[in-house]
Amino acid sequence: MGGVEDDEPPSKRVKATFGESGVVSNSLSVREQGSCSLSDSMAWLLESQGDDEVVGSKGVFKKVEFVRIIAEALHSLGYSKAEASLQEESGIPLHSPVVNSLMHQILDGQWDKSVSMLHETGQIDETIIKLASFIILEQKFFELLDGGKVMDALKTLRTEIAPLCINDNRVQELSSFILSSSQESRLKPRRKLLEELHKLLPATLMIPGKRLVHLVEQALDSQKVACAFHNSSVGKMSLLTDHQCGRDHIPSQTLQILRDHSDEIWFLQFSHSGKYLASSSGDCLVFIWEVNVDGQVSVKHRLFGHQKPVSFISWSPNDDQLLTCGVEEAVRQWDTASGECLKIYEKTGLGLISCAWTPDGKNVFSGVTDKSIIMWDLEGKEVECWKGQRTIRIADLGITMDGKELITVCKDNMILLFGLDTNSEKFIREDQIITSFALSEDRKSLLVSLLNQELHLWNIDGCPELVKKYKGYKRSRFVVRSCFGGLKQAFIASGSEDSQVYIWHRDSGELVMTLSGHSGAVNCVSWNPVNPHMLASASDDRTIRIWGLNQVNMDYNGKKHSSNGVHYCNGGS
Amino acid sequence: MDVDPRQYENIGVNENDIHQIVLSYLVHNCFKDTVESFVACTGLKQPVDHLEDMEKRKRIYDFALDGNSSKAIELTEQFAPGLLESNKDLHFDLLSLHFVELVCSRKIDEALGFAQSNFTLFGKEQKYVEKLEDFMALLAYEEPEKSPMFHLLSSEHRQNVADSLNRAILAHAKLPSYSAVERLIQQTTVVKQCLSQEFGKV
C-alpha cells in the first residue's frame, strides 16, 4: 500500500484534509458552512470516482466502498479513534463534507440550514428530499411546541410543512397536537431523527448502519444453503472457516429393525410431534409405535378392524387420533392413547380410497371410488360432497394449511388444487403418470412421484410452479412413496424398488446418500418431523428400519460430541 | 308492487288533518306571515306566543346558516336555556362553526385562542377527538378551501348544523322536531320498500 501512494498525484493529499475535517466524533473544526458549496461536494464525488481501485481477486468491488464500510463498522462498534485513524491513513472519509455538515446541523438543531443542505447534496431525488425535509421540520415543530412557542409551531406547520404536500394525514395529526401541547411530549431526541434520516437517504450518500455486518450475515446464509448435509442446528457460526457439515449429520445407519409386521408394509408415517409412528401392512393391520426418550421405538398398539390393507394413514393435527383408510373400503378413526376404534366412516355401495384431516381437526375428508370427495364432521355426518372427476384411485389426499384448498390426483397426470369455498380449480400438469405425492410441513410445496422414476418438486403457494427434479431411485411396478425431512425440511427422501432409501439435498437436487439394508422394495419413508436425525423406512421384507446417525461418532445418548456446537468438517481432510 | 290509484277513493281524509299537516310544515320552517294568514283562514287554534316564538327561532336559524354561530348561541341560551348544555353534540357543532369563520377570515391567532379555550374540554371525550382533529387540521393550511377538509367550510355543513339546532329548539319547546309532511313521506317510502321486499321474496 505504501509503495502505491508515492506514485499518486497530489490530489491524494488534498483528500487527507477532507478526511480530517470529515470526522464527526472528534471535535475537530468542521469547514465553515458558507464555504461548503455545491462545487465542493461535486469535486469530492469526482475525486472518489477517480479511484477505481478494486479489492479482491475477482475485482468485483471498489476499495473506496470497502474502506468506508469498515470505517462504519468501527463507528458502530464504538471505536472512534480507530475510525479516525483509518480515515486519515486511507484518505477516504466515511462521509462527504456535505453529509458531515448535515449531521452537525441536525444535532445542533439548525433546522432551516439542514433542509437547504439537503438540496445541496445533488444526489437525492425530489421525493426523498421532501420526505427528509418533512421529518426535519416535524422535529422543529415538536421542539417549538415543547418550548411553549405554539404560534411559531403553527407557523412552521402552515408555511413550511403543509406546502410540501406529502402525508396529509400526518399534517392533520400534527395540527391536533397544537391543542394538546400541554400534555405528553412527543418530542424525540435529535439522535433518533438522525437515525431516521440515515435510513431515508440513499446508501451512496450515507452508508447504511451496520452494512458490513449485513454482508457477513448474507455470506453465512449462503454457506448454510450450500451446505449439502446441513442437518443440525448450528447455533453460532464461525467466520474463520466456511461452514460445511459432514455426512455424519444425516441418518445413515440402521439403529433398529422392527419385525412385528407379518406382511409387506405399505405405509408409515410419524406423528406431528415425532413421538409416534404409524404403519400399515398387507395383512390389514395397523401398528402404532412409540418413540421412547432414548430413541428406541416400541409397539404401543395393534389396531384390528380393517378388512382390506390400509394404504393411507393420517394423523390428526394434535396427534390424539389417527385416520386409516382401507383400500376401497372404509375409513377408521382411532384414539392414539387407547388404541380404540372411535368411528368408522363408510359410504354404502362405494369404497373409500383416501383420508385426511382438516387443519382445525374438526372435519374429515375422503376420496371415493366414484371419483368424488366427501367431507364428514366428527359425528360421522356427511357435510359435503364434491362430485365429478375429483380423484382417482390414488391414496394421497392433502389439504393446505388454511384449510381452503384440497389437493388430489384427479387424472393420471394431473393434480387438482380445489378451492373448497370458491370451487376454484388449479392444476399441476405432468407429462408422466403420477403415482403418489407428498406435502411439505408448511404445505407450500408438493413432491410428486412419477411413473418415469422422477420426483418433481412443485411450489404450490400461489400459482403452481415446478421447482426441481430428483432422479436416481428405482420404481417400476409399485407405488413408492417419498417425503420431505431433515432440519427445515432441507432434504427429500424416497423409497425404491432396489431396496434402498434415497436421500437428496432439496435445494441443490444433489443425491446425497443411499441407505442399504432392506432386502425388499422400500415402499414408504417417513422422516421424524421433530428429530432431524431419525428416519423410518417400510419395506416388502416385512420390516421397518429406523435410521439414525452413525454411532461410531456418537456418545451413549446419541448426541454428537462437540465443544462449541460448531462443525468444522471439511470434506477433503 | 303498485297499487291501483282507484283504490284511493275509498279512503276518506279529514280536512282538519290536512290543515294540521300544512300548519306543522309552515311552523317548522318559520314562515311567519304565511302562518298568520293560514291560521286566520282556517280558524285553527294556536298558542298566544306562537308567532313571536317563530320569529325568534327564525333569527337563530338564520344566524347559524350565515355562520355567525356566536350570535346563534347567545340567542339560543336566551330562548331555550339549558338546551346546549344537554346537547353537547350540537354545542360542539356550533362552536366549530365559529372556529371555521375565524379560520376563513384568516384570523389564525384568534382561531387558535378560541380553540384552546373552548375545545380542550371536548378533546377529553373520545367521540369528539376525531371531529376535533378534522377541524384543527384546517389551521395547518394557508388556503383551507384547498385542504382535504374543505367540506367543513361548505354551506351544506352550515345547513346541517342549522337544521339540527332548529330541531333541538322545537324539541325543547315540546313541539315535534320533524314536520308531519316530512314524516309521512319517509313512512310511505319505508313501507313501500318493505312490502316490495316481502312480495319480491315470494
Side-chain angles (χ1 to χ4, degrees):
Chain A
M1 267 310 190
V4 177
E5 240 163 46
D6 292 343
D7 298 330
E8 289 300 318
S11 58
K12 264 269 184 178
R13 269 166 246 138
V14 175
K15 272 177 90 182
T17 349
F18 271 46
E20 270 179 14
S21 59
V23 172
V24 181
S25 42
N26 296 357
S27 45
L28 294 175
S29 61
V30 179
R31 289 171 54 159
E32 275 304 309
Q33 313 299 353
S35 61
C36 194
S37 65
L38 183 62
S39 54
D40 282 336
S41 48
M42 287 298 282
W44 179 84
L45 266 176
L46 287 171
E47 286 197 44
S48 60
Q49 275 167 8
D51 258 27
D52 270 336
E53 261 187 81
V54 287
V55 176
S57 53
K58 302 194 179 144
V60 168
F61 59 93
K62 291 200 216 144
K63 176 174 146 197
V64 172
E65 290 188 357
F66 192 51
V67 172
R68 285 176 76 196
I69 61 172
I70 295 174
E72 198 288 321
L74 290 170
H75 178 82
S76 315
L77 289 169
Y79 301 135
S80 39
K81 279 198 231 156
E83 182 198 342
S85 313
L86 175 58
Q87 293 188 63
E88 197 183 320
E89 221 180 308
S90 65
I92 300 173
L94 174 56
H95 297 300
S96 66
V98 171
V99 170
N100 276 324
S101 308
L102 183 62
M103 285 165 62
H104 268 275
Q105 284 157 353
I106 301 275
L107 292 172
D108 282 345
Q110 296 173 346
W111 312 120
D112 300 330
K113 284 195 180 144
S114 55
V115 172
S116 44
M117 189 60 82
L118 283 176
H119 287 87
E120 279 187 38
T121 59
Q123 271 190 301
I124 333 179
D125 76 75
E126 270 304 302
T127 344
I128 302 198
I129 292 187
K130 283 196 180 170
L131 286 169
S133 309
F134 194 96
I135 59 175
I136 294 175
L137 290 169
E138 234 194 69
Q139 182 74 10
K140 178 179 177 188
F141 176 80
F142 280 120
E143 289 201 0
L144 286 169
L145 265 192
D146 221 46
K149 302 198 178 117
V150 183
M151 276 318 292
D152 288 337
L154 186 55
K155 184 152 164 274
T156 306
L157 183 59
R158 285 169 65 85
T159 58
E160 294 176 318
I161 301 183
L164 287 172
C165 292
I166 48 169
N167 206 348
D168 275 327
N169 286 340
R170 185 59 180 160
V171 170
Q172 247 185 279
E173 269 182 16
L174 292 177
S175 31
S176 67
F177 292 147
I178 294 180
L179 259 197
S180 53
S181 59
S182 50
Q183 290 157 30
E184 348 108 46
S185 176
R186 285 179 180 76
L187 190 59
K188 57 180 180 254
R190 290 175 183 174
R191 276 247 150 248
K192 189 109 201 320
L193 171 64
L194 200 50
E195 273 171 36
E196 284 180 23
L197 215 54
H198 198 162
K199 285 190 199 134
L200 209 57
L201 296 175
T204 43
L205 193 62
M206 248 181 131
I207 294 190
K210 309 220 168 113
R211 178 68 187 155
L212 189 56
V213 171
H214 175 77
L215 288 172
V216 170
E217 285 178 339
Q218 266 187 356
L220 291 177
D221 273 341
S222 39
Q223 277 179 20
K224 259 201 242 175
V225 166
C227 178
F229 304 107
H230 189 81
N231 198 28
S232 305
S233 318
V234 182
K236 299 198 189 5
M237 291 172 78
S238 168
L239 292 180
L240 303 177
T241 52
D242 278 6
H243 172 82
Q244 202 181 339
C245 289
R247 298 171 152 253
D248 47 358
H249 283 277
I250 298 186
S252 52
Q253 199 184 30
T254 305
L255 295 182
Q256 215 183 334
I257 304 181
L258 309 174
R259 300 182 198 276
D260 298 67
H261 276 287
S262 54
D263 203 340
E264 296 170 355
I265 308 172
W266 291 16
F267 193 88
L268 92 171
Q269 189 165 81
F270 278 101
S271 65
H272 298 102
S273 62
K275 271 185 68 196
Y276 301 107
L277 179 63
S279 60
S280 66
S281 56
D283 58 5
C284 310
L285 287 178
V286 174
F287 276 66
I288 297 183
W289 310 81
E290 189 165 350
V291 179
N292 301 311
V293 177
D294 60 1
Q296 290 291 304
V297 175
S298 51
V299 179
K300 188 174 160 74
H301 293 298
R302 286 167 99 205
L303 309 177
F304 293 98
H306 277 287
Q307 303 298 312
K308 293 272 179 70
V310 165
S311 54
F312 201 78
I313 301 176
S314 178
W315 287 93
S316 68
N318 62 0
D319 297 336
D320 280 353
Q321 289 167 27
L322 198 58
L323 283 178
T324 56
C325 184
V327 178
E328 293 179 30
E329 189 215 14
V331 169
R332 282 175 178 251
Q333 186 180 340
W334 310 82
D335 178 70
T336 312
S338 64
E340 213 185 297
C341 179
L342 299 172
K343 193 137 211 74
I344 304 178
Y345 299 92
E346 287 174 298
K347 186 108 183 173
T348 36
L350 294 168
L352 302 175
I353 50 177
S354 57
C355 56
W357 292 88
T358 49
D360 59 13
K362 294 202 179 123
N363 294 95
V364 167
F365 282 96
S366 185
V368 191
T369 42
D370 71 348
K371 305 202 176 144
S372 62
I373 294 182
I374 300 186
M375 179 164 86
W376 284 283
D377 66 17
L378 296 180
E379 310 293 308
K381 199 176 86 178
E382 192 175 309
V383 173
E384 267 218 69
C385 182
W386 292 272
K387 293 212 180 291
Q389 179 91 354
R390 303 290 176 201
T391 181
I392 57 175
R393 280 149 209 262
I394 300 222
D396 299 299
L397 190 60
I399 302 190
T400 52
M401 206 52 117
D402 55 13
K404 292 210 174 111
E405 275 182 335
L406 203 58
I407 306 165
T408 147
V409 182
C410 64
K411 285 209 177 102
D412 278 342
N413 63 340
M414 278 198 339
I415 289 184
L416 164 66
L417 289 100
F418 180 61
L420 294 169
D421 298 326
T422 59
N423 277 9
S424 63
E425 295 182 343
K426 279 190 279 188
F427 295 98
I428 291 178
R429 219 171 241 104
E430 286 282 4
D431 296 329
Q432 293 279 326
I433 297 180
I434 298 170
T435 56
S436 71
F437 69 79
L439 262 182
S440 64
E441 210 173 308
D442 62 3
R443 322 264 177 124
K444 289 185 181 164
S445 298
L446 195 66
L447 193 60
V448 183
S449 305
L450 300 168
L451 196 68
N452 68 346
Q453 303 178 129
E454 272 183 23
L455 289 174
H456 285 186
L457 178 65
W458 289 80
N459 179 343
I460 55 171
D461 195 19
C463 220
E465 208 185 310
L466 178 62
V467 175
K468 211 132 203 84
K469 297 185 183 183
Y470 307 93
K471 298 183 206 198
Y473 74 110
K474 300 277 176 285
R475 187 220 81 81
S476 54
R477 290 170 293 149
F478 311 118
V479 171
V480 163
R481 289 216 144 80
S482 50
C483 70
F484 291 85
L487 193 71
K488 302 219 174 92
Q489 302 218 312
F491 296 96
I492 304 278
S494 174
S496 172
E497 275 174 29
D498 64 8
S499 316
Q500 294 182 94
V501 174
Y502 284 72
I503 300 181
W504 294 265
H505 183 233
R506 177 173 165 179
D507 284 340
S508 67
E510 199 188 311
L511 179 63
V512 160
M513 250 185 213
T514 51
L515 311 179
S516 314
H518 278 293
S519 49
V522 177
N523 297 318
C524 188
V525 286
S526 180
W527 208 309
N528 191 319
V530 161
N531 181 357
H533 299 156
M534 184 186 274
L535 181 64
S537 58
S539 167
D540 274 353
D541 67 4
R542 305 177 189 188
T543 65
I544 295 175
R545 283 187 175 237
I546 304 288
W547 305 84
L549 299 182
N550 196 326
Q551 292 287 25
V552 174
N553 297 343
M554 299 299 129
D555 67 8
Y556 177 69
N557 283 331
K559 289 200 199 100
K560 171 151 174 77
H561 265 312
S562 60
S563 46
N564 57 0
V566 176
H567 308 285
Y568 286 105
C569 310
N570 293 319
S573 61
Chain B
M1 177 212 141
D2 268 324
V3 185
D4 185 357
R6 288 173 297 186
Q7 287 186 309
Y8 298 161
E9 309 297 329
N10 301 338
I11 312 292
V13 185
N14 189 324
E15 209 171 283
N16 197 42
D17 287 339
I18 303 185
H19 289 159
Q20 291 288 359
I21 291 173
V22 173
L23 184 63
S24 92
Y25 173 75
L26 295 172
V27 166
H28 184 100
N29 291 293
C30 304
F31 296 130
K32 185 171 142 251
D33 297 334
T34 322
V35 170
E36 234 177 334
S37 32
F38 189 68
V39 165
C41 288
T42 56
L44 287 168
K45 292 259 187 288
Q46 284 298 293
V48 178
D49 294 332
H50 77 283
L51 287 175
E52 246 182 77
D53 289 346
M54 227 188 302
E55 180 65 48
K56 287 187 188 158
R57 194 158 43 86
K58 183 162 175 32
R59 290 183 67 215
I60 296 177
Y61 182 84
D62 286 337
F63 278 128
L65 198 59
D66 264 345
N68 188 347
S69 73
S70 43
K71 200 79 181 127
I73 292 176
E74 193 193 313
L75 292 177
T76 310
E77 292 288 320
Q78 276 176 19
F79 186 53
L83 171 70
L84 291 176
E85 267 146 47
S86 46
N87 205 331
K88 289 188 81 174
D89 283 356
L90 188 55
H91 197 184
F92 180 84
D93 285 338
L94 285 169
L95 287 173
S96 46
L97 272 191
H98 184 81
F99 178 78
V100 166
E101 267 302 297
L102 290 171
V103 170
C104 284
S105 8
R106 307 288 192 266
K107 294 183 188 151
I108 303 301
D109 292 5
E110 257 190 78
L112 183 59
F114 181 79
Q116 281 172 328
S117 33
N118 289 289
F119 286 146
T120 348
L121 276 169
F122 284 100
K124 302 242 185 336
E125 272 176 73
Q126 189 51 40
K127 65 169 171 165
Y128 294 117
V129 167
E130 263 187 56
K131 282 192 186 182
L132 205 46
E133 266 182 26
D134 286 352
F135 280 104
M136 291 307 290
L138 287 170
L139 279 179
Y141 296 92
E142 291 192 292
E143 294 186 323
E145 304 82 26
K146 299 199 180 141
S147 76
M149 297 292 127
F150 69 94
H151 58 276
L152 295 171
L153 296 93
S154 67
S155 52
E156 278 96 34
H157 182 251
R158 289 201 295 277
Q159 174 93 46
N160 284 336
V161 178
D163 282 338
S164 309
L165 182 55
N166 193 31
R167 292 193 211 286
I169 296 176
L170 284 166
H172 194 259
K174 306 275 192 288
L175 290 171
S177 9
Y178 288 88
S179 59
V181 67
E182 213 180 329
R183 275 298 190 233
L184 281 170
I185 297 177
Q186 288 167 339
Q187 188 185 37
T188 329
T189 319
V190 170
V191 169
K192 263 192 97 170
Q193 280 170 355
C194 265
L195 286 173
S196 50
Q197 269 179 7
E198 283 302 312
F199 274 94
K201 277 186 195 162
V202 173

